[in-house]
Amino acid sequence: MAPMKRQRSMLDDGDTEIIDVESAQSSFQQASRKKSRVSYDEPQGTDSEDDSDEELFQEQATQYVTQQRSRKKMDNEPADNGIIETVTCTNFMCHGFLEITLGPLINFIIGHNGSGKSAILTAITICLGGKATATNRGQSLKSFIKEGEESSMLSVKIKNTAESSYQQEVYGDSIIVERHFSRSGSSSFKLKSSTGRLISTRKGDLEEICDYFALQIDNPMNVLTQDMARQFLNNSTPSDKYKFFMKGTQLEHLDGDYLIVEQNVDTIEQDLYRKSEDVKVFQERAEKAKALLALSEQQDTLRERISNLSDMMAWAQVEEQERLLLGFDKRLRRADENIRTLEITSTNLSESFSQTEHSFEHANKSAEDMRAVLAPLQEEKDRVKAEHDRFKAEGLTLHAEQREIAGEINVAKDRIKKAEKDIEDEYKRLSDADGGGHALRRQEIEEKRTEAVEAKRRLRGHENEFPALEDNRRRAHTEYEESQEPVQRKRRDVQECEQRLSTMLKDRGQQQGGYQPNMPRLLNAIRQDDRFLQKPVGPLGSHVRLLKPVWSSILEKSLGGALDSFIVTSKQDQSRLSDLMKRVSCPCQIFIGNNSQIDTREHEPDQKFDTSLRVLEIDDALAKKQLIINQGIDQTILIKDRKEAIDKMNSTKLPNVKQCFTLNVEPGTGVRLGYGYGGGLSESFIQAFRGTPRMKTDIEYQINAQRELLQKLKTELNRLEQRQRDLRSHSTRCEQAIVRHRRDTGDLQIEMQQAESIVDELQDALDQDAIEEGRLDVLKDHLQEAKDEQNTHENSYGESINAKDKNNESLRNTRNQMAEMDLEIKEKEAMVIKAESKATNCANKRAAALREMNAAFESIESVKKDRAELETERKEKFDQVEDFIRQASDICSRVPVDEGETGESLERKMEKLGNDLRRAEQRLGASAAQIGADASKTFQAYVQARDEVESIEQLAQLLKTTLVNRRNRWRMFQKHITSRARIQFFYLLSERGFRGGLMANHKEKKLDLKVEPDETLKENKGRKTMTLSGGEKSFSTVCLLLSLWDAMGAPIRCLDEFDVFMDSVNRDVSMDMMIKAARRSIGKQFILITPQSMGNVDQQGDVKIIKMHDPERGQKQLNFPKA
């Protein structure tokens, strides 16, 4: 809807009231449809009536103009809104950039030809939504872009103040309209507030603003361009002037709107005739339906009985469904009682399982402790037994050696006795033969022989040192051999650690490496098998994320095979999963769980402690529940420092704590601290986990931990290898000592041999003296050999005795140790057997309790599932009952059902009565409901058609009356505007002493003027404009333009080069006359363009002269593109 136009105030002077109608506009859109008008042409009146009306309007217009000119001069006040403040052009026509600030009242834009004066009016027209063709300056927007540029921008700022402003809360005191267009053909509008904020880009909003301020940009009388001004002032015919007059006053626009209304009235009357014929048809149908309905109402008694039975049958069905619903309620109560009984049983079984769990853990821990104590005892016994066997074998060897040496000694003694007797006999024989000389030589030989014996004794003493050296060498060699096994074992540990580290680096981020090789096949088989009631959960390690990797090794070791296990919720699923495991050769432990929730918050240790549960993030409820029940992760605390852990566990019994894990010095190992039955604290060592981690955790931490372990193992390996090298060096030194001993033995043997050589030489000299003594030396040699042999065997026997004593002592010690250890081992074995038997019994009891507990939970779940299904069925039945009640309520309110009546009996009765009613209705041709519905529909259609015809008749009559009234008012307005323009034209001609008049013929649509410049020709009514001079013609046309402007209501009037054909006298008079007319037009903004100077103009505060810059040097014409 177009906004209302601002109305000027009424001028009241004395008893005469003159209404100033500034403009006429309509909200109808002009249409080009050409239909024959019906009967709404101008009413044919008499010429006397037209003349009387013309005289009346002539008189009123004369009074108004006379009063307006006779009043004292009033100050021309600028309008509060709707006028242009600034115009900005960028790359437009001949302007690269131009910004013009206009005055609120009278503006003269002057300048030489080519300075771009007319571009300002063109910019206003284009920016405010006008078409390019309306300016007569170009055929499209891109023709206005400055030569050499690609785009252009125009901006017009419109004043927007006072109470009658347009959406001032949105736009502020000014509305900025921008239009952007380019050579590519794009064009857009932007509406901005006074602060430059973008409000809209719709052209419809711009049109609404122009309508609100009555900015008639497309009105040729409102913005008179240079070409239109030339045509209007010089070349216009009476018909052209009449067209300008009709367009300028908006009378032509109103006339087109009235044509549209007339065409619509014609269409309405044609439709009205057709609908009137239809009403007659509807009336006949209604009368027939009324007669048929009267016949049908005679069967109401039978229908009432059927209706009562129908109501009773509807509620009988409701009562049947309600009885079925009560049966569901009873079954639900029995199910609730069964669930409560089973929950009590499951609670007792859970407590029993907790007790057996605690007993199993304690028994298992005791058995592990006993086995841990027995293992080192057995190893020590094996070591002692090996030493005992070795000592025993050595003793047997020594005993045999002693018997052999004793025999050799006895043989040597017999030989000595025989040699001594032979020598004594030989001495006696020689003494008798030599007389004493031989005795002296014999004495020297004995001295040398004594020296030789001493050398031999030293050799024998040196040789006796050899067993000790050999024993040292043997022990060093044994220690070296024994050191090789730890080195090889440690090397294997290093290789395994390196292999694990390599596997971690290669399979970074994957967790499957810690499981059995066929685990992927098992998981794939589980995914493909759709016969499980509920998919198994597992392996449990894949559902566990370790939040603190420092506990990885200990938790992996303590949880053990549980991380490889699976959980199912039924025995059927367990059997199915077991078959799959056998098929893919991947056996794993299977637990049976249930989906009931478990809440451990009340049974967990203090929040200041880390527990196995708190450092694990478990993404599956079944896995979490199973680890809590079987592994006790909720009551296992974790303390890094061993001393702190022992202090915490020893201080007071921590509530809700079963055991504590703490770290050991060696990486990956730990210690388990637990409470015994007596309250004492027990400790057990936790070996390091050497496999690939199965729990998801920070792989980088695992890699770093594995690297640290590898470094530590390498350090230990280096230590063991260094000890091995030291032992090898010691063994080498022992070997070297034996070599040196053998070398010294050789030297002593040489010394002994030299001494014996001297004895031999003396003996040879003695033999030269007495060849006879040869037999004596031989005898002595035999004696000496026998003695030497005896000494050798005696020394060997002594050494063997000492060795046998030591061996016997060692045997006694090892035998005693073995006896003591056998007693202790038997005692410990009995304790282990007892503990293992107890652990087995506890395990069996725990397994039985677990099965019973799982069975109880499964029973609860089964009963709950059955109850849920029953509840669902009950709800469905309840909804069905509610639906039955709702359907029955739609039929009627609840009615009692007769005793003994059922839905079937009532249906039989209804069927009998229905047959009776149908036979009666067959005689009528339709049922009562159909007859009533058809009658109601027929009456409704008749009333609706009748009301619609009456409404259209009223609308048509109203449109006719309104159109006649509007036509009359339009003619009155036309006559009033014409009279006012005629009087104004007369007074404007008198400004220069001319006489003349404005002749308007609305029937022929012509407007012409007659002017008599010669004031002396009183009788002459005036001449036509064709007979006037150029200046007189231009002056007369300016008077006509000002007369028409006075009848227009637009706030802005623009005129381009109006004085181009005037001489100086006519120009001065016309200029003065236009300024006076502008000052009498209160609040109107005038934009007048002229190439002449304004030196003779009365320049007051309301006149603003804007001089354009001269065109660029060398520029002869504007840079318009060629057509």
Side-chain angles (χ1 to χ4, degrees), residues 491-542:
R491 284 176 180 168
R492 287 193 297 271
D493 292 342
V494 170
Q495 291 176 355
E496 291 175 358
C497 187
E498 289 176 342
Q499 185 177 2
R500 286 195 300 273
L501 179 59
S502 176
T503 302
M504 288 182 180
L505 293 175
K506 181 175 64 177
D507 300 335
R508 185 187 299 265
Q510 300 181 2
Q511 299 292 329
Q512 296 297 332
Y515 300 106
Q516 299 184 41
N518 291 333
M519 182 63 72
R521 293 180 57 197
L522 176 60
L523 295 177
N524 188 41
I526 293 173
R527 281 193 297 268
Q528 295 177 356
D529 196 327
D530 56 357
R531 287 179 289 176
F532 286 104
L533 300 178
Q534 181 176 343
K535 285 292 185 181
V537 176
L540 297 190
S542 65

Side-chain angles (χ1 to χ4, degrees), residues 690-750:
R690 300 302 186 188
T692 303
R694 294 162 292 178
M695 295 184 292
K696 293 181 285 188
T697 183
D698 185 3
I699 189 62
E700 296 300 329
Y701 180 88
Q702 292 288 345
I703 291 174
N704 293 334
Q706 199 67 23
R707 285 172 175 165
E708 292 179 0
L709 177 61
L710 177 60
Q711 185 62 36
K712 183 173 181 62
L713 291 175
K714 286 183 177 180
T715 302
E716 294 178 355
L717 176 62
N718 292 335
R719 179 178 58 79
L720 292 175
E721 288 178 342
Q722 182 61 41
R723 182 174 181 275
Q724 186 183 37
R725 287 193 293 272
D726 293 342
L727 291 175
R728 186 167 57 231
S729 300
H730 179 63
S731 177
T732 301
R733 288 194 297 272
C734 291
E735 294 285 352
Q736 293 174 352
I738 289 176
V739 171
R740 287 194 299 273
H741 181 273
R742 288 174 177 171
R743 186 176 60 248
D744 294 340
T745 300
D747 294 339
L748 290 175
Q749 285 179 348
I750 292 172

Side-chain angles (χ1 to χ4, degrees), residues 69 123 175 217 382 419 466 608 648 715 760 854 899 1065 1120:
R69 288 177 173 271
I175 300 176
I217 299 302
D382 293 340
F466 181 77
K608 67 181 179 180
K648 292 289 185 183
T715 302
D760 292 339
N854 289 336
E899 187 72 23
V1065 176
F1120 292 126

Side-chain angles (χ1 to χ4, degrees), residues 488 679 758:
Q488 295 298 327
I758 294 173

Side-chain angles (χ1 to χ4, degrees), residues 918-948:
R918 279 191 294 275
R919 284 192 295 271
E921 287 177 346
Q922 285 177 357
R923 293 192 293 270
L924 296 175
S927 65
Q930 289 177 330
I931 292 172
D934 292 341
S936 176
K937 186 184 300 183
T938 304
F939 283 125
Q940 185 178 1
Y942 167 65
V943 172
Q944 183 178 356
R946 185 190 61 193
D947 294 342
E948 184 177 357

Side-chain angles (χ1 to χ4, degrees), residues 641-658:
D641 185 70
R642 182 174 180 179
K643 184 176 182 304
E644 180 185 356
I646 294 175
D647 293 341
K648 292 289 185 183
M649 297 290 285
N650 271 331
S651 57
T652 56
K653 191 175 186 306
L654 298 176
N656 299 327
V657 175
K658 288 184 179 180

Side-chain angles (χ1 to χ4, degrees), residues 21 111 114 144 192 198 300 373 504 514 528 566 607 615 637 671 822 918 965 986 1038 1040 1053 1073:
V21 183
F144 294 108
K192 297 183 178 180
L198 179 63
D300 287 344
V373 172
M504 288 182 180
Q528 295 177 356
F566 285 77
Q607 291 293 328
V615 301
I637 64 174
V671 177
D822 285 339
R918 279 191 294 275
N965 186 31
F986 176 79
V1038 169
L1040 175 60
R1053 286 87 187 274
M1073 183 173 56

